[in-house]
Amino acid sequence: EFMDDWHIFGSNTVRGSVYDAYGPGSGSPYPFEGPMLFDEFNVYLSKQFTPYDQWRGEVSGVVNAEDRYRSSHNALVPERINFTRENGDGPLPYRLEIGDYFSYYSFLTLQRSLKGVQVELQPVTDNGGRKHSIIFTAGADEGDWRSLTPKDNFTTGLSWLIQDEQLGSLSLNYVHNFRDNSNKLGTKDRNQYVFSVAGEKPFAWFGQNLLLEGEAAHFSGDHNGIAGPKSGQDRSDNGYYLQLTGHSMQYPWDYRIRFDDYGQDFQPEGAVVTPDRRSIEAHTGWRFDSGVRLRARAQLFEDNFETSNKLRTRTYGINFTGPLLKTFYPDVTGALDGFVQISNDEAHTVSTRAKTINLNLNKPLPYDWNGRLGVFYQNIDDSAPANADNLVRQVNFNADHPFTIAGFTGYITPGILLRTVRHGGNDSTDWGPTLALHLRRDRH
């Protein structure tokens, strides 16, 4: 009767490999050789009291026997452990997570997988549909539990989200991160604090459904440094982003415009941003009656914009997906993507113009075959002193065919590849057959 009211399921995979290489070891893609074995497992469990009151759990990892490609540890290696208690029936709805969890506050403060504890409270109020969510986070950033050293990278944070049917959403976020010094990496102790205000507001205007969102954040503390570890101590800077997303109520048209500005010292450990970058992006799309979807983009990135050698990267592209040849071949589907990218810096050490076209088509063929055609073209014109011009032209044709044998199902994919590369004096021409085989039975 132990845990008889729990739902438990999982999987287990045992894999053995032998790596061997002849010749100079420095030229081998496999630095570790010999027999290797590991047993990978996943266990999931849940217990439901009511639709809004439940337990969930997950335990996954590996029992490793000298497979250094799978894990740097041997024996039992727990990799992901999570237990979640969620109760929305009580006077104070909450969600408690212990172990591994993904913590997301906002773009500029925290979006990171952590090991620790996170609790979310959702106080019930009577303010005309206004909702609140308060999250407290404490956890370490580490790949597996065997390597866990909290002081190497420990994060605490608090986020308060307010959602109002009329005013939109507003969140206040605070994150603290500490990282211990490392003699190996040459870094100092790093304490940093990030504060931000983020919000979003949906609205309608002149036949358009629009969503305006943005965030302003302030960074204070330490980071890894720009010109050595000392240059990252006791710094402060700001980060901003603003985005407008919309679609037409009448036409199959959508669009997005975004602006980002992150200072050189704006380097939150928990956020995914590029410091010392300013960017403007515009994306738009249209769906034709034929089912073809068009996407166009224009992007301007300015890196190192607080230095004397600013790097500008401009990208202009267009993409088509769907039944591209519907008028002539209605059963052909695919994607066509083309773009031009221009990069220049102030010192003229970077000056390139790249033109890229990529076409992929799929067509059902007789006798259960499915044909695939790929065409790739890229021309890089480099006018900087490095003069790294490059021209690649490639065509590949493949065909998939399903089959069944001895209880197994799968498909075989023969094909042919043609490719030419022109790169200064290092030109090459490649051609030859390709072959792939896929088999499965039940879950294997």
Side-chain angles (χ1 to χ4, degrees):
E1 297 180 359
F2 177 66
M3 300 188 74
D4 58 351
D5 52 351
W6 287 73
H7 177 53
I8 303 174
F9 63 99
S11 65
N12 191 82
T13 301
V14 179
R15 178 174 296 175
S17 306
V18 176
Y19 292 86
D20 198 6
Y22 300 92
S26 60
S28 170
Y30 305 106
F32 313 116
E33 299 179 26
M36 303 179 188
L37 182 72
F38 68 82
D39 185 332
E40 191 174 71
F41 61 88
N42 299 273
V43 179
Y44 305 92
L45 58 157
S46 63
K47 181 177 182 179
Q48 189 117 11
F49 302 98
T50 72
Y52 306 103
D53 187 2
Q54 61 180 333
W55 274 101
R56 296 193 308 272
E58 175 188 352
V59 178
S60 62
V62 63
V63 179
N64 192 35
E66 303 297 336
D67 194 325
R68 300 174 69 180
Y69 298 103
R70 178 59 181 82
S71 174
S72 59
H73 303 289
N74 280 323
L76 178 62
V77 187
E79 294 177 322
R80 177 172 176 80
I81 303 172
N82 174 272
F83 293 97
T84 300
R85 179 74 169 97
E86 188 175 284
N87 189 347
D89 290 336
L92 180 60
Y94 69 90
R95 179 189 292 113
L96 172 65
E97 293 187 85
I98 301 174
D100 290 273
Y101 58 89
F102 183 77
S103 186
Y104 175 76
Y105 285 7
S106 68
F107 283 117
L108 307 188
T109 55
L110 180 62
Q111 40 184 331
R112 183 63 56 87
S113 293
L114 299 173
K115 297 182 185 297
V117 60
Q118 178 169 274
V119 59
E120 178 182 3
L121 307 176
Q122 296 186 354
V124 178
T125 64
D126 296 321
N127 296 331
R130 186 173 298 171
K131 301 177 182 178
H132 298 262
S133 172
I134 301 172
I135 299 177
F136 171 75
T137 300
D141 185 356
E142 192 62 74
D144 63 75
W145 288 90
R146 287 272 295 270
S147 303
L148 185 62
T149 308
K151 68 176 183 177
D152 285 350
N153 196 333
F154 194 80
T155 297
T156 55
L158 183 66
S159 177
W160 178 21
L161 171 66
I162 305 170
Q163 291 182 319
D164 187 277
E165 294 180 356
Q166 300 298 323
L167 301 178
S169 300
L170 177 70
S171 69
L172 306 175
N173 308 289
Y174 158 78
V175 176
H176 170 255
N177 177 264
F178 174 76
R179 284 169 288 164
D180 200 4
N181 67 80
S182 171
N183 293 327
K184 180 179 179 181
L185 301 176
T187 56
K188 294 178 173 290
D189 287 351
R190 287 142 295 169
N191 260 302
Q192 58 177 236
Y193 306 85
V194 187
F195 309 86
S196 89
V197 178
E200 65 177 35
K201 168 63 177 172
F203 61 99
W205 185 64
F206 282 97
Q208 306 293 311
N209 280 324
L210 301 169
L211 175 65
L212 180 65
E213 55 186 309
E215 183 174 9
H218 178 71
F219 170 97
S220 177
D222 315 314
H223 54 73
N224 290 344
I226 299 167
K230 289 184 179 180
S231 66
Q233 296 290 297
D234 194 21
R235 312 298 296 177
S236 65
D237 218 326
N238 300 317
Y240 309 95
Y241 97 86
L242 186 67
Q243 178 171 279
L244 178 68
T245 306
H247 67 270
S248 171
M249 300 179 190
Q250 183 178 0
Y251 302 104
W253 175 43
D254 62 84
Y255 46 89
R256 176 170 64 91
I257 302 172
R258 177 165 176 146
F259 169 77
D260 295 81
D261 188 310
Y262 307 124
Q264 190 176 61
D265 290 303
F266 186 77
Q267 300 191 29
E269 173 64 14
V272 184
V273 298
T274 302
D276 207 3
R277 167 176 282 188
R278 181 184 293 133
S279 64
I280 300 175
E281 300 182 62
H283 302 256
T284 187
W286 183 279
R287 180 180 173 84
F288 295 94
D289 293 338
S290 64
V292 173
R293 184 171 179 81
L294 177 149
R295 302 292 302 172
R297 63 192 185 276
Q299 300 166 289
L300 170 63
F301 295 94
E302 291 184 330
D303 291 288
N304 310 321
F305 71 90
E306 292 186 4
T307 71
S308 60
N309 190 25
K310 184 187 302 182
L311 173 64
R312 294 183 180 88
T313 302
R314 289 157 289 168
T315 303
Y316 309 97
I318 192 167
N319 176 278
F320 295 91
T321 57
L324 302 183
L325 306 176
K326 187 174 182 179
T327 302
F328 307 100
Y329 304 100
D331 58 348
V332 173
T333 60
L336 173 63
D337 183 72
F339 65 91
V340 177
Q341 187 173 81
I342 305 166
S343 297
N344 310 93
D345 67 357
E346 302 287 344
H348 198 61
T349 58
V350 177
S351 182
T352 62
R353 180 187 295 267
K355 302 174 184 177
T356 303
I357 298 175
N358 193 13
L359 171 66
N360 291 280
L361 297 175
N362 299 273
K363 183 183 185 336
L365 300 175
Y367 306 106
D368 293 329
W369 285 90
N370 183 69
R372 291 185 284 116
L373 172 67
V375 179
F376 178 80
Y377 171 88
Q378 184 176 70
N379 185 10
I380 299 177
D381 181 13
D382 187 357
S383 59
N387 193 26
D389 292 345
N390 195 42
L391 175 61
V392 179
R393 289 169 290 195
Q394 177 177 302
V395 177
N396 60 278
F397 176 74
N398 303 283
D400 304 316
H401 190 274
F403 65 92
T404 302
I405 183 172
F408 284 87
T409 60
Y411 56 85
I412 187 169
T413 307
I416 188 169
L417 170 68
L418 305 172
R419 178 174 55 224
T420 63
V421 179
R422 300 293 179 260
H423 175 65
N426 300 321
D427 298 345
S428 67
T429 300
D430 304 308
W431 65 273
T434 62
L435 182 65
L437 177 68
H438 175 86
L439 285 174
R440 66 174 295 156
R441 182 172 183 174
D442 297 328
R443 295 190 178 185
H444 295 275

